[in-house]
Amino acid sequence: QVQLVESGGGLVQAGGSLRLSCAASGRTFSSRAMGWFRQAPGKERESVAAISWSGDNAYYLDSVKGRFTISRDNDKNTVYLQMNSLKPEDTGVYYCAATRQYDSAWPRRAPGDYDYWGQGTQVTVSS
């Protein structure tokens, strides 16, 4: 079992920045690809960014490219999402998720590709 705990959400004005963190339990973090998803009210959950278990590959939703950066620190069992130049349309609940171990397929963008989920953290961007 892997437990994921997100932090770092909040209220920010448009153009501002936030850094989300997701801490994972256990000893298998470094062998799992990680993803960040978001869900706005009345909308489906969408993949925002993902990083391979090796850290060599990253995926970004087109609308966040150049503004968001995903990274991981395997020594700290933590994945981050640095969000800059935030827009009101970035508002939503942000979830981190982990795939099964040594998942070789890439990229992983569908919610069904992930086995473990955090509880989510709210990000609200005001205009």
Side-chain angles (χ1 to χ4, degrees), residues 43-114:
K43 295 188 177 181
E44 293 187 352
R45 191 170 297 191
E46 64 178 352
S47 175
V48 174
I51 188 166
S52 61
W53 58 268
S54 66
D56 292 339
N57 298 298
Y59 157 82
Y60 295 97
L61 183 68
D62 283 347
S63 62
V64 308
K65 284 181 180 177
R67 300 189 297 121
F68 290 12
T69 302
I70 189 171
S71 61
R72 65 188 299 157
D73 185 336
N74 287 342
D75 291 334
K76 295 183 178 179
N77 276 17
T78 302
V79 63
Y80 305 96
L81 186 66
Q82 178 67 45
M83 304 187 295
N84 299 328
S85 302
L86 282 161
K87 303 176 181 180
E89 52 264 43
D90 294 319
T91 294
V93 179
Y94 282 68
Y95 300 89
C96 73
T99 67
R100 63 180 174 84
Q101 286 185 274
Y102 301 114
D103 187 354
S104 60
W106 183 260
R108 285 303 200 186
R109 292 176 291 187
D113 293 333
Y114 291 80

